[in-house]
Amino acid sequence: MLRLDDVQIFVLAAEQGSFSNAARQLNIAPGLASSSVMRLEAALGARLFDRSTRSMQLSEEGERYLPHARAMLEAQRGGQQALASGHSALSGPLRLSAPSDLGRNVVLPWLDDFQQQHPGVSLQLRLSDRAADLLRQPLDVALRYGALSDSSLVALPLAEHNRRVLCASPEYLARHGRPAQVEDLKQHNCLRFIWGEQVHERWRFTLPEGERVVVVAGDRVSDDADAVRRWGVSGFGVVYKSRLDVIDDLRAGRLVELLPAEHCEPAPLNLICAHRSRLTPLVVRLREFLQARCTALLAEP
């Protein structure tokens, strides 16, 4: 029979890259960590690490087993939280990944409020415009825009009808004029961001005459979408971003909407988790909280 403490040490060793680092986190001797993983390997009949005198890395079998090991630990944690939720407040770690602009400028203060409501929750927040690998990284959930490309993941809608917004600052429009049609974007300085490994430079629109894709260019691109929004507010060019990201700038007049909302690309926001075993009471409550906040923000005049 597998021991969950052996599985935990295996997962920590895989994440930390060594038995000694995993042992340090658990306050045990490195030899105990190594023996624990060897016991797990014997129980599974598989070699989980390729070891040498100088290095240690996951074997091919270890790579395949790691997401299942994490799922076992999450299922245990979820069961404990489910039992605890019947007679106590929500508590425990919440490991969340979010896009840079949305996370830093919109979600961050929301999470402050969430923790005030649930002081037993400890937050680990990662802000990045690279899509988090929920099967390999130690994360509970991730906020992600767009349709889900991996059907094995679970998507919980937060803002189903959110769309991108084509916009620029009043200062930029005063200097360069307003594009009369989407083809005019080829003559404008379009500020682009990198999502994953690709530059977002194929801007999609739904026009009365049908779908249209415009390949844009400009003198600035960043792997941080927050920087791109700030460039737009500062008057350096045209941006095409989620309404949730720029809604405060639009209402304050720092950015001006250039195209009707229904002509812009859908950008639904979802809360993503690796599988349904991670839908713990804490994650379910977080989803309800964030969905209510998104709805209220988009509904404000």
Side-chain angles (χ1 to χ4, degrees), residues 52-115:
S52 70
T53 55
R54 295 185 178 182
S55 66
M56 179 189 80
Q57 62 183 10
L58 280 173
S59 67
E60 184 177 344
E61 290 175 310
E63 291 275 4
R64 291 200 301 269
Y65 184 65
L66 181 59
H68 300 284
R70 285 185 174 136
M72 291 170 61
L73 297 178
E74 292 298 333
Q76 180 201 33
R77 186 163 66 94
Q80 291 173 335
Q81 288 185 347
L83 291 173
S85 65
H87 52 77
S88 65
L90 291 176
S91 62
L94 176 61
R95 300 169 298 181
L96 171 67
S97 171
S100 63
D101 198 357
L102 180 76
R104 188 175 295 121
N105 299 303
V106 179
V107 174
L108 194 60
W110 291 353
L111 293 175
D112 292 339
D113 293 343
F114 186 76
Q115 281 191 283

